[in-house]
Amino acid sequence: MDSIPANRRLWNQISSAYQHEHDPQIGATPRLWGMYSIPDAHLHALGDVTGKRVLELGCGAGQWSRALAAEGATVVGLDLSEAQLAAAARAMGAARYPLVQGAAEQLPFAADSFDLVFCDFGGLSWAPPHLAVPQAARVLGRGGRLVFNVASPWFEACYDEAASRVTTTLQQDYFGLNTIAEDDGATSYQLTYGDWVKVLRGAGLIIDDLIEPRPELGTPNGYNETDPPDWAHRWPAELLWVTHKP
């Protein structure tokens, strides 16, 4: 399934509104993961990036990339949307880094180009994982790490489309998630736990950790409505995979 054209159109359309709503928080504080903006200092997923060659898959307005470049990483920000890349270019600080338009399933980089490939609800949420994960593994050097955060299948299976919120009732078949229809014909992707393991291991990656970020009681979800409000304190809303290439 070629979701690139529709996903590119969607993100070009919504980029301005998305950044207007979310950048005041994620742009002000570095290294925040996911829907609940949990600091990496609490999750210890990314580690020290000083001197590392880093690729962000789906960089958006570059909030993560700016922070890592300022920490001394050699960063490349990749995004499918030219509107998102324009936002990243406008927001770029003193620590400059290149921006590349491209798709996670068709990475325009040579093998062994990076020490770290990562995304936070980026390319591995908006590209078929069975294509994008091998591409990420290909561009990593030996010992390089793939670290990424995506929605949990629990979260997706409990999402009530009619109510536009996550509930305590299973709404969709766990084994039938795979592709999720988004607005304007766009598509996002969701795998089961087992399928993520198969895709990662099939790409030759070693799974070092699976972090299920758990927000504190009362932590707001900046992106979705949940019922009850503290849904993610009780059930895993996100999966933060930490892997490396042997």
Side-chain angles (χ1 to χ4, degrees):
M1 179 177 182
D2 184 4
S3 53
I4 292 174
N7 286 358
R8 179 183 174 192
R9 286 194 301 270
L10 174 67
W11 280 101
N12 281 338
Q13 291 166 8
I14 70 173
S15 172
S16 179
Y18 181 90
Q19 297 304 334
H20 178 76
E21 180 176 359
H22 298 295
D23 185 68
Q25 180 172 4
I26 61 177
T29 305
R31 288 183 177 244
L32 298 178
W33 286 109
M35 295 180 280
Y36 292 87
S37 298
I38 299 177
D40 188 62
H42 295 171
L43 301 176
H44 307 290
L46 221 55
D48 183 12
V49 298
T50 306
K52 303 288 188 181
R53 303 169 297 167
V54 178
L55 172 64
E56 182 176 7
L57 292 179
C59 65
Q63 292 91 350
W64 274 95
S65 288
R66 287 200 307 273
L68 301 190
E71 293 176 23
T74 301
V75 178
V76 175
L78 177 133
D79 205 278
L80 188 59
S81 161
E82 53 266 42
Q84 291 280 73
L85 291 172
R90 290 192 298 270
M92 197 176 295
R96 312 296 292 180
Y97 61 93
L99 297 168
V100 176
Q101 185 172 15
E105 58 264 59
Q106 299 173 359
L107 291 180
F109 306 107
D112 191 26
S113 294
F114 298 98
D115 304 305
L116 170 66
V117 176
F118 83 99
C119 63
D120 186 13
F121 281 85
L124 291 180
S125 296
W126 292 90
H130 73 282
L131 300 177
V133 169
Q135 282 289 297
R138 178 184 64 81
V139 302
L140 280 172
R142 181 171 294 183
R145 302 167 72 230
L146 172 63
V147 180
F148 63 96
N149 192 34
V150 293
S152 161
W154 287 61
F155 190 86
E156 297 291 357
C158 291
Y159 191 83
D160 186 336
E161 290 286 350
S164 298
R165 65 184 60 208
V166 178
T167 70
T168 58
T169 303
L170 291 171
Q171 304 286 341
Q172 303 177 63
D173 291 348
Y174 174 80
F175 292 109
L177 292 171
N178 297 323
T179 60
I180 299 170
E182 304 286 354
D183 293 339
D184 298 318
T187 303
S188 63
Y189 296 85
Q190 176 64 60
L191 300 185
T192 65
Y193 287 87
D195 282 344
W196 273 121
V197 171
K198 289 175 185 174
V199 167
L200 292 165
R201 296 294 293 125
L205 297 169
I206 302 298
I207 298 170
D208 298 309
D209 200 0
L210 171 55
I211 302 168
E212 295 173 296
R214 188 186 189 194
E216 297 294 333
L217 287 169
T219 304
N221 183 319
Y223 297 82
N224 296 281
E225 295 292 329
T226 66
D227 182 16
D230 287 315
W231 192 98
H233 186 76
R234 300 173 64 187
W235 301 283
E238 299 168 297
L239 306 180
L240 180 48
W241 294 92
V242 181
T243 75
H244 77 273
K245 182 176 180 177

